[in-house]
Amino acid sequence: MKTNASIWVLLLVAYGAIPLTLGSNHYVMSLLVAALVIGGIALAWALLGNLGGMVSFGHSAFFGVGAYVSALLTLKAGTPIVIAMLLGGVGALLASLVMLPVLRLRGPYFALAILAYAHIFKIIATEWTAVTGGSAGLSSIPRFPTAFGFDFSGKVGSYLIILSVVLIFALCYRLIRASDYGIALRAMHDSEDATRVIGVNSVLLKALMLFVSAFMTGVIGAFNAHYINFLEPDYAFNGLWVTLPIVAAIFGGYRTILGPLIGAVTVYLIDQLVFKSLIPYGHQLILGALLVAMILFSPSGLVPLLRASVRRNHAAG
Amino acid sequence: MLRVEELSVCFGGLTAVNKVSLSVGTDEVVGLVGPNGAGKTTLFNAVSGLARPSSGRIIFDSVDVLRAPLHRRAKMGIGRTFQIPQPLHELTVRENLLVAQRFGAGQVDQQKIDEILEFTNLAPKGDREAAKELALTELKALEVAKALATNPKLLMLDEVLAGLETSGKRRFMAMLKELHQKFAVGILIIEHDIETISNLCQRVVVLNFGKLIADGAPDQVFRDPEVIKSYTGADHAGSR
Ligand SMILES: Nc1ncnc2c1ncn2[C@@H]1O[C@H](COP(=O)(O)OP(=O)(O)O)[C@@H](O)[C@H]1O
Ligand SMILES: [Mg+2]
């Protein structure tokens, strides 16, 4: 009951109050869009970690592939943006197929292997000049169209799109987690052998989570491409597209569904609005310090911390 | 139903299972005994798919399963328990069985789950308790219950009685006696206690240093001088 109520409030604020009050402030809206992009990746990353038990440093590859696929489809084949974005997700999913062999690796080996794979895609985007435009990049990527009499190419429109995408992904995450597959994946966490001998195909389930996570990240990369209208390999495959989400997810609580989103918005906004004005260069250092503090103080992250304090207040009052 | 032929499993230079051949029929309860380190658990691991044999064959229901992945073998009807219980920690007892049933047997049947919970004396724990909060007897019961939920044709029990105190052991024993009939499973059970084996099994197989040294009716096998020597020669006669 209480959770439902707070989610409705959150939705009302996100869809109503924010666009109405801050909609004309382009700077804040662009920060929010960027925060939700990070949050979306963080959510997809946390899904893989939480359900699949995998720590990925390679999500920038999915982000970049999604961005390039969608940009190229709209630029060269005239594909409608919505379909191109979904195909961007599919492209990222296909990119994750080549990572399947590393699923059998564990711990740091998996993390390193997936990092290496991520780099391969950046090289392809740089070297395959005929298609990708090489390091010069792609420009004039189509913007979001006008629909239902509303111009989605503006800041508010883009904000509503990414907000909806991210919330739909959160819902999917929730459904997967509650499904039989989700329960089996949860079981696999600390007793993989025990789960396998009762008939669970652990490699398949992990692969499915990798696909879902890659697809989501690809769609978000595609969104970002149409939002900023420009792509180059160094930007699209930048390691920040995975490190920032990791910080956000861990800060917010990667075991929860909303944690990564709330973590992303909090971390990104604080960084940009507060720290950046205090220390123009090297402000990310404070983020690092903040993360360390969070890990020491509340290892499971911000959202579980908030929940616990709400419960405590409830009990006290 | 299960036929193991000339099976060997090596760990580096150590041959933990050495050219072992044995069989278990659908309506049999077979004991597997031998000193610690004889290779009993490794044999279970090879049959269930956790250990990779270096040579030999494993035939289950007339199918060669040597190359079949673990989960496929479970779905075919090979069930097992672990010597050190391995519950699905984060889940409730019922969820443990649900996962086993959904993935091992293919379909969920709450009534069957209730029946298994009842049979293994876990019914009171079913919905409330997370598996990690159970006591040892319950953990051992959960091992059996999980395996049963996959609807096995063969059930391999690895020292399910070890470490239980007397009353728990007695209850468990009563359960084991019924298991074979009630769930129509063939059973291969690892157990050190000679009396228990004689009580439960029509046949017993003895391993020593990875080799099969006897296979026959318990009263004969336990009179075999070589078997007696393997039992008393090692340091653990009558112990775990
Ligand atoms: N994963 C493993 N790696 C290396 N050696 C192992 C492994 N598993 C078992 N062994 C060795 O194989 C032998 C048989 O062990 P095991 O099958 O557990 O014996 P038992 O169950 O009969 O007590 C022992 O010497 C043990 O140390
Ligand atoms: Mg053993």
Side-chain angles (χ1 to χ4, degrees):
Chain A
M1 225 11 244
K2 227 181 123 22
T3 336
N4 276 344
S6 52
I7 285 187
W8 285 116
V9 170
L10 209 71
L11 286 179
L12 221 62
V13 170
Y15 278 101
I18 288 180
L20 286 176
T21 55
L22 299 170
S24 54
N25 187 335
H26 281 201
Y27 177 59
V28 171
M29 286 317 279
S30 65
L31 288 185
L32 280 173
V33 170
L36 286 171
V37 166
I38 304 285
I41 307 170
L43 179 112
W45 180 87
L47 180 150
L48 187 65
N50 198 14
L51 295 180
M54 286 170 269
V55 176
S56 161
F57 293 116
H59 269 53
S60 47
F62 306 139
F63 183 87
V65 168
Y68 266 94
V69 167
S70 189
L72 288 170
L73 281 173
T74 48
L75 276 174
K76 308 220 161 159
T79 312
I81 289 189
V82 175
I83 295 171
M85 277 173 66
L86 291 174
L87 290 175
V90 173
L93 189 158
L94 293 177
S96 75
L97 275 179
V98 302
M99 298 188 187
L100 282 185
V102 306
L103 278 191
R104 287 170 195 278
L105 302 176
R106 291 184 188 200
Y109 300 102
F110 173 80
L112 284 178
I114 203 166
L115 186 64
Y117 267 117
H119 206 70
I120 293 174
F121 288 99
K122 180 176 174 176
I123 294 173
I124 293 175
T126 313
E127 299 299 327
W128 197 11
T129 324
V131 173
T132 64
S135 51
L138 296 170
S139 49
S140 319
I141 298 168
R143 291 168 188 279
F144 296 107
T146 300
F148 317 112
F150 188 83
D151 179 13
F152 281 98
S153 69
K155 291 282 184 234
V156 175
S158 301
Y159 164 81
L160 291 174
I161 292 175
I162 187 67
L163 177 67
S164 306
V165 167
V166 163
L167 290 180
I168 289 169
F169 286 171
L171 198 66
C172 295
Y173 184 176
R174 198 188 151 108
L175 290 176
I176 294 173
R177 197 177 62 169
S179 72
D180 292 343
Y181 281 27
I183 297 177
L185 282 159
R186 212 152 27 105
M188 241 156 62
H189 250 294
D190 31 27
S191 13
E192 182 152 352
D193 284 345
T195 322
R196 297 172 76 194
V197 301
I198 53 175
V200 176
N201 185 345
S202 63
V203 176
L204 176 71
L205 285 201
K206 282 186 185 175
L208 288 177
M209 292 310 108
L210 181 64
F211 295 161
V212 171
S213 182
F215 174 85
M216 289 177 170
T217 311
V219 170
I220 289 167
F223 163 85
N224 198 61
H226 297 290
Y227 170 64
I228 59 160
N229 323 115
F230 174 76
L231 275 186
E232 58 175 21
D234 273 341
Y235 173 80
F237 292 92
N238 201 299
L240 278 179
W241 294 122
V242 62
T243 45
L244 275 180
I246 292 177
V247 172
I250 294 176
F251 189 83
Y254 85 100
R255 289 281 188 166
T256 65
I257 292 177
L258 288 181
L261 291 179
I262 292 171
V265 174
T266 315
V267 166
Y268 193 76
L269 291 190
I270 291 182
D271 180 51
Q272 294 291 315
L273 291 173
V274 183
F275 299 154
K276 202 172 164 185
S277 57
L278 291 177
I279 320 171
Y281 299 102
H283 53 100
Q284 279 99 345
L285 272 181
I286 304 187
L287 275 191
L290 212 62
L291 183 66
V292 171
M294 179 60 85
I295 291 172
L296 291 177
F297 186 54
S298 167
S300 51
L302 183 64
V303 165
L305 184 73
L306 289 177
R307 271 198 203 132
S309 77
V310 166
R311 231 174 284 134
R312 223 174 298 127
N313 285 343
H314 218 63
Chain B
M1 168 180 47
L2 173 71
R3 217 169 68 234
V4 172
E5 293 174 1
E6 298 276 304
L7 192 76
S8 297
V9 183
C10 303
F11 298 112
L14 175 80
T15 306
V17 173
N18 196 346
K19 295 203 170 145
V20 168
S21 300
L22 61 83
S23 68
V24 181
T26 319
D27 49 0
E28 270 193 306
V29 180
V30 179
L32 178 57
V33 304
N36 278 326
K40 305 179 297 296
T41 298
T42 304
L43 181 68
F44 273 21
N45 286 344
V47 173
S48 60
L50 277 171
R52 187 191 295 269
S54 45
S55 64
R57 304 214 299 165
I58 302 169
I59 315 287
F60 186 73
D61 267 354
S62 322
V63 180
D64 188 340
V65 296
L66 195 70
R67 308 220 165 277
L70 297 186
H71 62 93
R72 179 95 22 85
R73 296 190 207 190
K75 286 183 211 278
M76 288 175 72
I78 300 181
R80 71 165 291 174
T81 67
F82 288 97
Q83 186 170 349
I84 297 163
Q86 294 199 19
L88 311 180
H89 291 90
E90 301 300 322
L91 310 184
T92 66
V93 170
R94 183 179 290 276
E95 282 174 329
N96 266 261
L97 301 206
L98 265 175
V99 172
Q101 198 177 49
R102 166 70 177 75
F103 290 90
Q107 64 205 25
V108 172
D109 175 354
Q110 292 287 352
Q111 209 177 332
K112 178 89 186 279
I113 289 190
D114 287 330
E115 194 185 324
I116 296 173
L117 287 174
E118 199 65 47
F119 178 75
T120 51
N121 299 313
L122 285 171
K125 304 282 174 186
D127 294 315
R128 275 167 299 134
E129 223 123 339
K132 60 182 167 196
E133 283 147 21
L134 299 178
L136 181 66
T137 317
E138 294 156 352
L139 283 173
K140 296 255 178 180
L142 179 57
E143 279 296 302
V144 176
K146 240 185 330 152
L148 283 176
T150 65
N151 209 5
K153 294 178 187 157
L154 168 71
L155 186 51
M156 300 191 291
L157 302 170
D158 195 346
E159 304 201 20
V160 280
L161 292 167
L164 300 184
E165 28 63 68
T166 326
S167 70
K169 202 172 241 169
R170 203 175 311 120
R171 251 189 304 143
F172 225 100
M173 218 18 219
M175 185 179 96
L176 290 182
K177 285 202 91 119
E178 266 189 73
L179 196 57
H180 165 61
Q181 291 274 315
K182 188 172 163 75
F183 292 91
V185 281
I187 293 178
L188 182 61
I189 176 169
I190 298 177
E191 176 53 49
H192 283 294
D193 185 46
I194 293 178
E195 206 176 299
T196 307
I197 290 286
S198 308
N199 197 342
L200 278 176
C201 309
Q202 300 111 344
R203 195 152 63 80
V204 59
V205 175
V206 187
L207 284 188
N208 194 21
F209 293 116
K211 285 206 169 107
L212 187 139
I213 58 169
D215 182 346
D219 51 346
Q220 279 170 1
V221 165
F222 291 127
R223 266 194 314 232
D224 182 328
E226 197 184 349
V227 172
I228 294 170
K229 202 174 99 205
S230 81
Y231 254 65
T232 50
D235 55 64
H236 65 279
S239 80
R240 337 184 308 110

